[in-house]
Amino acid sequence: QVQVAESGGGLVQAGGSLRLSCTASARTFNNYFMGYFRQTPGKEREFVAAIRRSGGSTYYADSVKGRFTISRDNAKNTVYLQMNSLKPEDTAVYYCAAGGTYSSREYSYDYWGQGTQVTVSS
């Protein structure tokens, strides 16, 4: 069983930045593809970004492309989501997930964190 935990959420003004961190307990962290998703009340969870095991390739939702950057440090079992130029519509609970497939689909990820709230005020 892999434990995944997010941190770094909070309240920020529009145009500001936040960096989310996600740690995973897996001894073989670099065997997992990692992804971030987000969810707002009444809506389905949506894909935000994903990163390959080596960190050599990344994939973003169109809504965040050019503003968000996903990266990972396999030595620290940690993946990061740098969020810049934040907009009120980025307000959501952000989830980190670990899986065996490089994908934007929820079902590709086996282990999920509890989520961290990001609120962007206008």
Side-chain angles (χ1 to χ4, degrees), residues 8-85:
L11 173 64
V12 64
Q13 288 188 332
S17 298
L18 278 177
R19 188 176 80 158
L20 304 184
S21 298
C22 169
T23 58
S25 64
R27 288 189 296 173
T28 54
F29 176 75
N30 59 358
N31 282 354
Y32 292 91
F33 297 93
M34 300 297 295
Y36 272 97
F37 291 75
R38 66 186 182 186
Q39 188 171 25
T40 54
K43 293 187 177 181
E44 293 186 354
R45 193 153 49 186
E46 66 173 0
F47 169 75
V48 174
I51 188 166
R52 286 193 182 274
R53 290 174 289 191
S54 66
S57 180
T58 56
Y59 178 45
Y60 298 93
D62 288 343
S63 58
V64 307
K65 200 173 296 182
R67 300 186 297 121
F68 291 12
T69 302
I70 189 171
S71 61
R72 66 190 295 164
D73 184 340
N74 287 340
K76 296 182 178 179
N77 280 26
T78 301
V79 62
Y80 305 97
L81 185 68
Q82 178 67 44
M83 306 184 294
N84 298 328
S85 302

